[in-house]
Amino acid sequence: QVQLQQSGGGLVQPGGSLKLSCAASGRTFDNYVVGWFRQAPGKEREYLGVVSWSGNSTLYAAYVKGRFTISRDNAKNTVFLQMNDLKPEDTAVYYCAAGLGIQPAHPAAYDYWGQGTQVAVSS
């Protein structure tokens, strides 16, 4: 079992930045890729990007590429989502998830999920 504890989030003005954290505990975290998703009210869970087990490789959805950056620190069992130039449409609950990396854009590919953290972008 891997437990994922998220932190960060909150209210930010348009154009602002936030950094979310996803800390893992339990069994070895190193073997898992970690993806980030978000879900706005009334919408399906949306893929944002994924980081490899080593942290050397990342992939992003087109609609966040250049604004969002995923990184990981395996020594601290933590993955980060840095979000810049936030827009009102980025408002959602954000989730991290750990899985084996097969079809990383699909929520069903992940075995473990964080509890979610709310991000609200508003002036």
Side-chain angles (χ1 to χ4, degrees):
Q1 287 283 343
V2 174
Q3 291 81 39
L4 301 177
Q5 180 67 42
Q6 295 181 229
S7 60
L11 175 64
V12 64
Q13 292 187 342
S17 298
L18 280 175
K19 188 173 185 177
L20 307 184
S21 298
C22 175
S25 60
R27 61 179 295 178
T28 302
F29 181 57
D30 297 6
N31 297 330
Y32 291 89
V33 302
V34 175
W36 285 93
F37 293 78
R38 67 186 178 189
Q39 189 165 19
K43 295 187 177 182
E44 293 187 353
R45 195 160 294 190
E46 181 178 58
Y47 166 76
L48 301 176
V50 63
V51 61
S52 65
W53 66 269
S54 68
N56 292 333
S57 179
T58 51
L59 294 171
Y60 298 96
Y63 36 84
V64 300
K65 193 172 184 180
R67 296 194 300 126
F68 291 9
T69 302
I70 300 172
S71 60
R72 73 190 289 168
D73 184 342
N74 281 342
K76 297 181 179 179
N77 286 342
T78 303
V79 174
F80 305 96
L81 176 65
Q82 175 69 46
M83 304 183 292
N84 298 327
D85 190 24
L86 284 162
K87 307 175 188 301
E89 52 264 39
D90 294 319
T91 296
V93 177
Y94 283 68
Y95 297 90
C96 63
L100 296 178
I102 300 172
Q103 294 189 320
H106 296 273
Y110 294 85
D111 300 310
Y112 307 102
W113 288 84
Q115 81 278 17
T117 186
Q118 178 72 51
V119 171
V121 184
S122 175
S123 55

